[in-house]
Amino acid sequence: MNKSGINLYIGGLLVGVLLVVALIGMVWTPHDPLAMNFAARLAAPGAAHWLGTDEFGRDQLSRLMQGAATSVKISALTVIFAVVSGTVFGVTSGFLRGWVDRVIMAVNDVLLAFPGLLFALGLLAVIGATEYGIILSLGLIYMSSVVRVVRGTVLGLRTREFVEASAVMGNASLFTMWRHILPNCVAPLTVLATSICGWSILAESSLSFLGLGVAPPAPTWGNMLASSRGFLDQAVWLVVFPGLSISLSLLGINLLGDALRDLLDPRMRKRA
Amino acid sequence: MTKAPLLEIANVTLGVPALHVTIVRNASLHVAPGEVVGIVGESGSGKTMLGRAVIGLSPQPVRLIDGDIRFRGRAFRDMNAEEMRAIRGPGVSMIFQEPMTSLNPSMSVGRQMEEGLALHGGIDAAERRRRILAMLERVGIGDGARMLKAFPHEFSGGMRQRIMIASAMLLRPALLIADEPTTALDAVVQRDIMDMLAELTREYRTAVMLISHDLSMVARYADRIVVMQHGDIVEAGDKEVVLSAPKHDYTRKLLSSLPARAPSRPEIGDDPLISVEKLGVSFVRRGGLFSRDTVKNAVRNVSMDIRPGEVVAVVGGSGSGKTTLARAIAGLTDYQAGTIRFCGLDLSDPKGEARARYRKQCHMVFQDPFSSLDPRMKVGALIAESLRILPQIPKSDHARLVTEALLDVSLDPKLVERYPHQLSGGQRQRVAIARALVRRPSFVIADEAVSALDVTVRAQVLSLLADLQRKYGFACLFITHDFAVVEQIADRVVVMQDGMIVEQGTRDAILDTPQHPYTLKLLSAIPMLEPTETGGLRLKWRHAPETAAVLQS
């Protein structure tokens, strides 16, 4: 099996598990993730609580499952927001050029120049630390890199002969953009989208860790990590499992992204 | 042969063992000191890999599977990395095809040239500098002291190739491997550089392995010719013998692919289909805050007509404005002065009625079939797209027309399901031609449409294009730097230099009795192979270079 085949299987498996766990976590968890049980404080993993309990005796597996649901939802919506808006601005900018390009790129460069998390923190302080606030602020940050990538790709494609051939054939610019330019942006976009997916899981965890993400007691991987800090010496599983969840999800998403890029590109699909 | 060979390649097989691919099979050849051996073959014939193996620079996965390469009697096999390094430079040196990328853009020319000398020469800095300056002068680069401080991007392609040659020859190598040394350059520059290289290597008694796809060029400069096909050496021998009495079928095919002049056709007297009048195209480079905008006039005051069913070739060196002219006529580049008329209608309004009609009647075939076809579309869709804006053709007919178009260009209609990357270069260019012709245009612009193809494929595609032109009778504007193409396909020729037309006329008039010195210079730069009575070929210059020189001065 070749490299991208292995990537596809491992990545697909990890992301599949993440999605299944997130889906189940939305409707059912073994225990109530918010129910406290002081009799079972900091219980080690065992038959009653498979992954142990936290300082309030809440079941960690249930909390992780619900956290997965939150993470997946936030990162999926962030990716959609960033990719769609970024592609619209990027293609417009690269294809029309002129002053439209200059305005869009000036605004975009300002966004790009801001430290991402700082920008998100500022925005969240203004609009409030809700799920949608996080999606909007992370989406805006990542949009700027999508705009950059798409504009660059479009600029490169514009001068390619098949785009000129389309103009010679008498096709309208809008058709050329849709038929020839957008499909050729898919490969770089897929890679970027999967990276954004990973970054947003990480950023959401960081924001929650800093206390500006999804507000406790609702569990996310980030705030679980944050609250486990004080109990590192007594209950190491409180750090290990949320940490593992984040790392394995990121690994899966990145592997899947690589494999998808190869699959989506007809040039890579079949080498006779 | 009395002398011991300098280089001996004995039964060499090169390949990628992991993929069970053989690149060169059982090749044997030898190079005597001071001898020029030409290796001719098409892309994929293994000629470049063989050349690289000789300097021990095979790409990562390629291995010497069998056989021996011996330099001055010692086998590469027995040498360690240290000894190999000692051979590279003073023993074997190499110049590459692409002078744009083979020089390091972030190093001054002087430092790059000095590297080799410092490594091998054991001479002090002052002496190194003296030798470099002498060598630069020798390869025709004046003002050496200033040039040493310059960076590669400040030089033209021809100058860079001169610098490459100079740095290779500084170490006075016993063997120089020249891999397509002038392919990226235009004909006049190509000739100057090859002459210089030939003279320099003769003076230094350097043997040359001249690798090229261009048989006439190799025939001009090599003592012996080796012909390769699909990794095999199919024929080798003295130049005269190979040219005049080729033994192998493939050599004969190569020789016969050199286009002969097609019979001239009666002049067409109709009203012009395309009429270009006093056309001017300029590009403005925006200056910075403190510098003025600079204007480059790519096309100046060009007037020409193309009549229905006529093939007009535009020739000229690189930078002559021929491509800009074609792009302006195709509507891809704006023009600032003059008019272009199609059937008497002015095309200046990009949204006008005339332009819309013209769009449906005109098509273009680009130089590079690798980039002129959208990599994400299948062949069928690519060709059908050309029919999209023709409302009179119902969608239900598209599939049938696509099949017909593929048959027209001698491709299997089953290819509609393929992507461009699954086709060979020749097949792709055929698809591009099918795409252009499926709408039965009255006018086709071909911008170097066969230059990127291998010699034998080029001949096939060119004769296909000529046949289709006769069959469908479209007018054609053919941009080319290759006079062989002109001979085979053109009715009339337009010669351009520095954005202006210096001469135009019927093909026979331009080729046989050129008037302008530039035309003469272009023609004389190209060696030509002429069929002999015995069925072989002999080398001939179209016009004696001396005449050109006299006319120039």
Side-chain angles (χ1 to χ4, degrees):
Chain A
M1 194 191 295
N2 61 15
K3 195 175 134 263
S4 92
I6 297 172
N7 285 353
L8 183 67
Y9 281 100
I10 300 182
L13 188 76
L14 287 173
V15 172
V17 168
L18 172 68
L19 286 179
V20 168
V21 169
L23 274 177
I24 298 176
M26 281 180 195
V27 290
W28 177 84
T29 49
H31 297 262
D32 180 351
L34 301 182
M36 301 186 212
N37 176 4
F38 287 98
R41 280 187 74 221
L42 298 174
H49 299 282
W50 287 3
L51 300 183
T53 61
D54 66 5
E55 70 274 24
F56 299 111
R58 296 176 295 197
D59 179 52
Q60 180 157 230
L61 178 61
S62 308
R63 290 180 66 76
L64 275 179
M65 284 170 73
Q66 205 171 57
T70 315
S71 291
V72 166
K73 184 175 158 197
I74 289 180
S75 73
L77 289 176
T78 305
V79 169
I80 292 172
F81 180 86
V83 168
V84 171
S85 56
T87 307
V88 169
F89 286 123
V91 171
T92 314
S93 188
F95 205 81
L96 293 181
R97 299 206 297 188
W99 65 268
V100 178
D101 181 30
R102 275 181 230 162
V103 171
I104 292 179
M105 290 325 286
V107 175
N108 198 60
D109 285 344
V110 171
L111 270 180
L112 213 54
F114 249 83
L117 272 181
L118 200 64
F119 179 80
L121 284 175
L123 205 63
L124 285 175
V126 177
I127 58 178
T130 64
E131 267 179 27
Y132 294 100
I134 296 176
I135 291 168
L136 180 68
S137 50
L138 291 182
L140 277 175
I141 295 167
Y142 298 136
M143 180 189 81
S144 54
S145 30
V146 177
V147 172
R148 269 267 164 224
V149 167
V150 171
R151 176 176 174 271
T153 315
V154 171
L155 282 183
L157 289 168
R158 269 179 70 97
T159 56
R160 292 281 293 278
E161 289 181 336
F162 64 83
V163 173
E164 300 202 316
S166 173
V168 172
M169 261 184 259
N171 289 327
S173 319
L174 211 61
F175 177 85
T176 305
M177 195 137 82
W178 180 254
R179 190 79 184 85
H180 295 291
I181 291 190
L182 264 186
N184 280 291
C185 293
V186 168
L189 264 183
T190 321
V191 180
L192 189 61
T194 46
S195 309
I196 292 177
C197 197
W199 297 338
S200 57
I201 288 184
L202 205 60
E204 178 269 320
S205 303
S206 317
L207 285 174
S208 301
F209 186 85
L210 293 173
L212 262 171
V214 177
T220 71
W221 294 346
N223 65 24
M224 288 170 73
L225 266 183
S227 59
S228 71
R229 260 178 314 174
F231 309 95
L232 202 59
D233 48 348
Q234 307 160 47
V236 74
W237 56 89
L238 288 182
V239 182
V240 168
F241 291 112
L244 264 183
S245 306
I246 294 174
S247 328
L248 287 178
S249 306
L250 290 182
L251 179 67
I253 288 166
N254 284 322
L255 289 178
L256 192 66
D258 279 357
L260 274 183
R261 179 201 51 206
D262 294 353
L263 270 179
L264 286 173
D265 193 336
R267 278 161 296 189
M268 305 286 284
R269 206 177 294 159
K270 210 162 85 191
R271 276 272 156 82
Chain B
M1 184 126 322
T2 50
K3 282 181 280 190
L6 177 71
L7 173 79
E8 202 180 352
I9 296 176
N11 307 319
V12 160
T13 299
L14 297 172
V16 184
L19 299 173
H20 304 286
V21 174
T22 324
I23 297 167
V24 172
R25 244 180 317 273
N26 204 20
S28 298
L29 68 94
H30 54 86
V31 181
E35 187 186 33
V36 181
V37 175
I39 299 184
V40 188
E42 304 194 333
S43 42
S45 62
K47 58 187 193 303
T48 293
M49 285 304 157
L50 193 60
R52 285 183 162 257
V54 169
I55 194 167
L57 284 178
S58 297
Q60 235 320 297
V62 179
R63 295 278 140 74
L64 178 63
I65 293 173
D66 197 21
D68 264 327
I69 299 176
R70 279 187 288 271
F71 184 73
R72 288 192 174 125
R74 281 201 62 195
F76 278 10
R77 222 177 252 293
D78 306 331
M79 289 188 222
N80 57 27
E82 192 78 16
E83 290 170 302
M84 280 299 298
R85 274 206 300 278
I87 284 187
R88 281 181 215 137
V92 188
S93 196
M94 183 161 186
I95 50 181
F96 299 90
Q97 170 172 359
E98 199 44 81
M100 300 290 159
T101 52
S102 51
L103 291 170
N104 183 343
S106 63
M107 258 169 104
S108 72
V109 166
R111 271 186 62 206
Q112 282 185 64
M113 294 185 68
E114 205 177 355
E115 268 190 333
L117 272 184
L119 207 61
H120 295 282
I123 43 179
D124 63 40
E127 171 67 7
R128 285 204 293 267
R129 187 178 158 83
R130 199 192 59 74
R131 284 198 202 177
I132 291 171
L133 286 175
M135 180 56 80
L136 277 178
E137 173 112 39
R138 185 72 191 71
V139 299
I141 294 178
D143 198 4
R146 202 167 60 81
M147 294 306 167
L148 288 185
K149 293 200 192 74
F151 285 85
H153 69 267
E154 298 172 48
F155 295 92
S156 68
M159 295 278 264
R160 288 185 217 196
Q161 202 60 304
R162 283 171 198 271
I163 293 169
M164 270 300 287
I165 292 172
S167 29
M169 293 306 289
L170 265 178
L171 292 162
R172 300 188 169 235
L175 174 66
L176 180 70
I177 299 161
D179 187 1
E180 304 269 13
T182 56
T183 306
L185 308 170
D186 77 52
V188 178
V189 182
Q190 177 169 343
R191 173 169 179 173
D192 290 349
I193 289 188
M194 280 310 297
D195 282 351
M196 183 270 290
L197 180 65
E199 206 178 300
L200 194 60
T201 49
R202 201 174 313 125
E203 187 183 315
Y204 286 10
R205 306 235 347 101
T206 296
V208 181
M209 222 167 125
L210 181 59
I211 300 172
S212 177
H213 68 280
D214 184 350
L215 187 60
S216 1
M217 199 268 276
V218 170
R220 168 78 179 78
Y221 297 100
D223 304 317
R224 281 193 304 124
I225 293 182
V226 174
V227 182
M228 289 190 74
Q229 181 196 20
H230 305 320
D232 293 306
I233 291 184
V234 296
E235 184 153 0
D238 284 343
K239 171 173 71 183
E240 284 75 20
V241 179
V242 172
L243 286 183
S244 59
K247 283 192 281 294
H248 194 274
D249 282 345
Y250 179 71
T251 315
R252 274 197 285 273
K253 191 175 160 204
L254 260 186
L255 293 174
S256 67
S257 322
L258 298 165
R261 189 179 296 191
S264 53
R265 302 190 290 186
E267 238 181 285
I268 304 155
D270 290 353
D271 289 338
L273 182 73
I274 302 283
S275 152
V276 178
E277 218 173 295
K278 297 204 162 86
L279 189 75
V281 182
S282 51
F283 299 111
V284 180
R285 176 182 289 182
R286 295 251 168 262
L289 203 52
F290 300 107
S291 54
R292 283 162 180 268
D293 293 357
T294 48
V295 178
K296 183 179 186 302
N297 290 311
V299 169
R300 282 180 287 173
N301 203 19
V302 163
S303 300
M304 63 183 287
D305 288 342
I306 301 164
R307 287 181 273 272
E310 181 186 48
V311 180
V312 177
V314 179
V315 294
S318 43
S320 61
K322 55 187 195 303
T323 292
T324 309
L325 173 66
R327 292 175 55 88
I329 294 177
L332 288 173
T333 300
D334 294 333
Y335 49 94
Q336 285 74 36
T339 48
I340 300 175
R341 287 200 175 81
F342 171 68
C343 296
L345 302 167
D346 190 345
L347 294 177
S348 55
D349 179 8
K351 294 208 163 56
E353 184 66 25
R355 189 70 86 96
R357 236 188 85 194
Y358 176 58
R359 279 269 161 272
K360 292 173 188 165
Q361 288 293 316
C362 154
H363 212 303
M364 188 158 178
V365 179
F366 292 86
Q367 170 170 10
D368 184 359
F370 288 79
S371 73
S372 66
L373 303 175
D374 188 336
R376 288 185 172 266
M377 283 169 75
K378 291 179 178 171
V379 167
L382 280 166
I383 298 176
E385 194 191 347
S386 184
L387 298 168
R388 204 184 72 91
I389 64 156
L390 306 177
Q392 70 273 25
I393 299 175
K395 251 203 147 105
S396 51
D397 285 357
H398 284 193
R400 182 178 54 82
L401 289 169
V402 168
T403 309
E404 279 175 20
L406 281 172
L407 289 172
D408 263 346
V409 295
S410 322
L411 285 180
D412 186 348
K414 285 200 207 87
L415 294 183
V416 289
E417 286 300 312
R418 297 275 189 88
Y419 284 100
H421 71 274
Q422 295 166 317
L423 306 177
S424 70
Q427 284 176 320
R428 288 186 217 200
Q429 200 59 304
R430 282 165 198 259
V431 170
I433 293 171
R435 175 172 70 175
L437 298 187
V438 69
R439 52 161 62 168
R440 302 278 174 273
S442 58
F443 179 48
V444 172
I445 300 167
D447 184 7
E448 300 276 12
V450 294
S451 312
L453 305 174
D454 274 326
V455 187
T456 54
V457 180
R458 183 188 304 179
Q460 288 162 7
V461 171
L462 203 58
S463 68
L464 175 87
L465 203 58
D467 288 346
L468 289 170
Q469 198 272 333
R470 272 189 291 278
K471 183 171 169 191
Y472 295 119
F474 51 84
C476 184
L477 180 70
F478 209 107
I479 309 297
T480 184
H481 66 273
D482 185 356
F483 273 98
V485 173
V486 175
E487 295 218 53
Q488 191 166 343
I489 196 164
D491 294 312
R492 280 196 308 125
V493 181
V494 171
V495 184
M496 286 188 75
Q497 183 189 21
D498 295 333
M500 289 189 290
I501 294 184
V502 296
E503 187 168 4
Q504 57 177 319
T506 62
R507 178 197 59 191
D508 294 354
I510 296 281
L511 291 184
D512 298 336
T513 52
Q515 301 300 314
H516 195 274
Y518 183 70
T519 315
L520 206 51
K521 193 174 163 199
L522 271 181
L523 280 168
S524 64
I526 301 155
M528 192 168 71
L529 292 168
E530 194 182 49
T532 58
E533 303 73 42
T534 53
L537 291 163
R538 81 172 152 248
L539 189 75
K540 156 190 156 178
W541 288 101
R542 213 181 289 260
H543 295 277
E546 294 78 22
T547 349
V550 169
L551 262 173
Q552 271 290 297
S553 58

